[in-house]
Every structure is written in structure tokens, then in C-alpha cells.
């Protein structure tokens, strides 16, 4: 192969722009814009849900209490059927239920306790839990990722410490906010706050969270001793 043939093989024809009759530009040799472009951002349209807690501890406690109560009651019923006296607690409970009125403080207290326990169980069943895990934007339909709030706060703190003039930083990340309290020992406070807004805002975007956190920055001078 000669040098002239190699030069021809490496040379490509560039697309040209031709004017169409209606005034629009037509690209020759290139596909229309958006024709074969990948559908980016489709995962953002799907609602990202929080991670649900398994709640093994409440479920285990409720199961153990119910199992113990059912076993004790079943044993006492079987003992009475076998012509043995009922347990003291069941005789006391039957006597109290037969003699106490509904407006008794003990009855009202037991009813309030049962209501509180019922509400706690219902709330535990319907709420997701795992408040420490922030859901992230899905990179694929079948992949879910989450970021711990303490890890997110640590990343933002490291970025804030890189800003000139920052002496110390405290970052608190909640489900909806990222609060930053910085101490600056030199430079103007407005300049430090502007740099922190820029740096931390970029840091929040790089975290890839599904729900954008609201950033608040507080910059102060160190306390005089």
C-alpha cells in the first residue's frame, strides 16, 4: 500500500449543511438530532421510593408475647379441663373484669396502653423506616442504591474543608436538608459562604441522590476566648 492510498483510507468526508426550501438547515451524512440518541433520564421519571425496613425486632417481640400468652392460656384451659384449679392470675383477672367499672382508672389506663401499642404497630407496618438511608437515582431499572446520611455528611464536610478560610465545619444531613455550620478565621464571610454554596451544591449533585436536598450554609467567626 502506498502512502497515497493510506492517506485516502484515513480521510473521511465531513457532513455538509444544505439549505432546505423552508429555510431549515439539513445535515448531509448525519442522522437527525435525537433520532438514535439514547433515552437518557428515563429513570428520573420513575418515582424512587425509600428503602423499607424489615423490622425484625418489633415483629420478634410481638411474636414472642403472643406465643407466651397463647401458650399460658392454653395450658391453663387444659388444666381446668383436667379438673385442676385455674391459675391465680386467671381467677384474679376474671374477678377484676367482673367487678370493675369501665370508668375505672385501671381500665382506662389499660385501654390507653392497648391503643398506643396498636397505633405503634400500625405505624411500624405502613411506614418504610430506614430513615438513615437516602435513596439514590437508579442507574438501571433493576438496581437500587442508597447512601447513608452519615456518609453523605462526611463527604460534604470534606468538600467544605477544602474551601479557603474554613477552620471547622459541622454538617447535618436529614431526609430533606443539608445544614452546614462553618467557622472561618480569615477572608470575608460573604466570600466564604459563596464558595461553600458553590462547592457543597456541586457536592450534592455528585452524590446522585434521588431527592435533592435543600442546602443551608451558616458561616461565623470563631469565638473569642
Amino acid at each position: 500500500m502506498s502512502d497515497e492510498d493510506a492517506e485516502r483510507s484515513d480521510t473521511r468526508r465531513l457532513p455538509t449543511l444544505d439549505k432546505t426550501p423552508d429555510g431549515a438547515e439539513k445535515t448531509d451524512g448525519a442522522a437527525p438530532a435525537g433520532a438514535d440518541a439514547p433515552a437518557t433520564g428515563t429513570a428520573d421519571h420513575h418515582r424512587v421510593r425509600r428503602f423499607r425496613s424489615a423490622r425484625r425486632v418489633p415483629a420478634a417481640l410481638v411474636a414472642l408475647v403472643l406465643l407466651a400468652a397463647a401458650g399460658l392460656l392454653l395450658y391453663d384451659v387444659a388444666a381446668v379441663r383436667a379438673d385442676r384449679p385455674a391459675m391465680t392470675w386467671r381467677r384474679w383477672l376474671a374477678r377484676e373484669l367482673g367487678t370493675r367499672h369501665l370508668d375505672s382508672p385501671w381500665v382506662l389506663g389499660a385501654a390507653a396502653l392497648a391503643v398506643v401499642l396498636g397505633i405503634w404497630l400500625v405505624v411500624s407496618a405502613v411506614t418504610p423506616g430506614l430513615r438513615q438511608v437516602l435513596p439514590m437515582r437508579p442507574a438501571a431499572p433493576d438496581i437500587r442504591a442508597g447512601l447513608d446520611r452519615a456518609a453523605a455528611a462526611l463527604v460534604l464536610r470534606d468538600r467544605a474543608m477544602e474551601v479557603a478560610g474554613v477552620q471547622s465545619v459541622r454538617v447535618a444531613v436529614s431526609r430533606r436538608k443539608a445544614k452546614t455550620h462553618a467557622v472561618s478565621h480569615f477572608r470575608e464571610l460573604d466570600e466564604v459562604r459563596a464558595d461553600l454554596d458553590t462547592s457543597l451544591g456541586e457536592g450534592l449533585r455528585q452524590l446522585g441522590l434521588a431527592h435533592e436536598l435543600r442546602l443551608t450554609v451558616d458561616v461565623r467567626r470563631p469565638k473569642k476566648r
Side-chain angles (χ1 to χ4, degrees):
M1 177 182 291
S2 62
D3 295 339
E4 184 178 1
D5 295 336
E7 184 177 356
R8 289 178 181 176
S9 61
D10 295 337
T11 304
R12 297 181 181 178
R13 181 174 177 268
L14 296 177
T16 58
L17 296 178
D18 298 331
K19 290 289 185 177
T20 55
D22 55 357
E25 293 182 351
K26 179 181 178 181
T27 303
D28 185 17
D36 297 331
T40 58
T42 55
D44 297 339
H45 297 289
H46 299 285
R47 183 180 178 183
V48 180
R49 299 184 180 274
R50 290 171 51 193
F51 290 87
R52 299 194 68 90
S53 173
R55 291 195 171 85
R56 297 181 177 88
V57 175
L61 291 178
V62 173
L64 288 177
V65 170
L66 293 179
L67 181 62
L72 188 62
L73 182 60
L74 181 61
Y75 173 80
D76 192 39
V77 170
V80 172
R81 293 292 183 180
D83 296 334
R84 293 185 179 182
M87 290 185 177
T88 306
W89 67 269
R90 197 155 77 97
R91 295 199 302 268
W92 173 84
L93 182 60
R95 183 172 61 254
E96 291 294 327
L97 292 177
T99 57
R100 287 190 179 272
H101 298 284
L102 295 179
D103 56 353
S104 174
W106 287 100
V107 176
L108 295 178
L113 180 61
V115 170
V116 171
L117 288 177
I119 293 176
W120 175 64
L121 291 176
V122 171
V123 171
S124 298
V126 300
T127 54
L130 291 180
R131 301 176 62 89
Q132 293 296 327
V133 180
L134 300 174
M136 303 178 67
R137 290 191 298 268
D142 298 332
I143 297 178
R144 294 188 65 194
L147 180 64
D148 190 79
R149 281 161 48 180
L154 183 60
V155 172
L156 296 178
R157 177 187 175 278
D158 292 341
R159 290 187 66 96
M161 289 298 298
E162 297 176 356
V163 176
V166 175
Q167 183 180 18
S168 62
V169 182
R170 289 188 298 108
V171 180
V173 176
S174 63
R175 288 179 51 202
R176 303 184 184 277
K177 297 180 181 179
K179 298 181 180 179
T180 304
H181 301 275
V183 176
S184 175
H185 56 297
F186 71 93
R187 294 182 67 195
E188 294 294 333
L189 296 183
D190 293 338
E191 296 178 0
V192 177
R193 186 179 296 107
D195 291 345
L196 285 174
D197 286 335
T198 304
S199 178
L200 296 180
E202 181 64 24
L204 286 175
R205 285 189 292 271
Q206 292 180 359
L207 289 178
L209 299 178
H211 308 288
E212 184 177 357
L213 301 180
R214 188 170 56 187
L215 177 64
T216 58
V217 178
D218 181 27
V219 183
R220 298 180 181 180
R221 292 297 185 192
K223 295 182 180 180
K224 296 182 180 180
R225 298 181 179 178

